[in-house]
Amino acid sequence: GCLTAIEVQKRLPSLRVSHTFLAGRSPPQSGPAGIESLDHSTIAQLNLAPAEIQDSEEWTSHFLPMLVADLEADMRAANRVAAMWSPELVRGDVEVFCGLQDTSFPAELVGQWQACTHEHFDQHFFVGGHEFLKNCASQIFRRIERTLCANQGPSHVGHLGTSSSHSTLLSTVAWERPPVRLVQNTMQEELCVL
C-alpha cells in the first residue's frame, strides 16, 4: 500500500495531497533490509497468519500463492519507486508507522522516508514486529484521525471535513470530495474511508 500511494501521487500530478501515511514498509532504496528475494524467511517475516492456518491445505493451495504474488508485486513497485526517489517524490506531510521489532522494516530505517518530501515529517513507533499493523490498528487509526482533524479545522468525532482543493493519501486510498468520514471496523480493526 505504501508504494502504491506514492505511485498514485506521481501518476496524478494534479492531485493535491496534504498528507501521506506509510506503515510497515522500508524505504525502497534502503538496500539489504528491504525485500530482495522471496525466500522462506522473508515470507515468514511478513506473514501474520497464525500457525494453525499456515498448516492447512487451504493456506498452501490458496493463501500462500496470493501472499507470494503480493510480495512479488511489492518488489516490482519498490524498484519503480526507488528509481524515481527524490525530495519531491511525496507531496505534503509524511507520517511513518513502524514496529520496533519489525525485522522487515527495522526502526533505524524510518528516518530515511524523510528524504522523499520537503514537507513536515513525523514518525511513530509501536511495540512489536510486523504484526504491529494488526495489533496496533486502533492506535494508528487514532493518530491518523488526530492529524487529519488538527489540519482540517474543527470537526466532530468520526467526521472530517476536507476542502475540495486538498486530498489525503492513506496507503492506497485517495480522496478529493468533501466530506470524508473515517470509520473504524472494530471487528477486524481495519480503516475504512466512506
Side-chain angles (χ1 to χ4, degrees), residues 64-130:
L64 183 59
M66 285 194 320
L67 177 60
V68 169
D70 179 59
L71 294 173
E72 288 171 343
D74 184 78
M75 287 181 0
R76 291 189 301 273
N79 290 333
R80 290 190 303 269
V81 171
M84 58 182 160
W85 191 264
S86 76
E88 293 83 29
L89 181 63
V90 178
R91 297 185 303 276
D93 296 347
V94 173
E95 292 196 37
V96 179
F97 302 89
C98 178
L100 288 169
Q101 293 79 33
D102 190 344
T103 56
S104 66
F105 179 20
E108 61 269 11
L109 297 180
V110 170
Q112 289 183 17
W113 278 112
Q114 188 169 7
C116 72
T117 185
H118 287 301
E119 303 299 327
H120 177 75
F121 175 81
D122 205 354
Q123 50 197 349
H124 310 282
F125 298 94
F126 298 86
V127 174
H130 200 64

Side-chain angles (χ1 to χ4, degrees), residues 46-76:
L46 300 172
N47 182 4
L48 302 180
E52 60 272 11
I53 291 176
Q54 293 181 50
D55 293 336
S56 70
E57 172 65 32
E58 292 82 3
W59 173 261
T60 305
S61 65
H62 183 70
F63 294 105
L64 183 59
M66 285 194 320
L67 177 60
V68 169
D70 179 59
L71 294 173
E72 288 171 343
D74 184 78
M75 287 181 0
R76 291 189 301 273

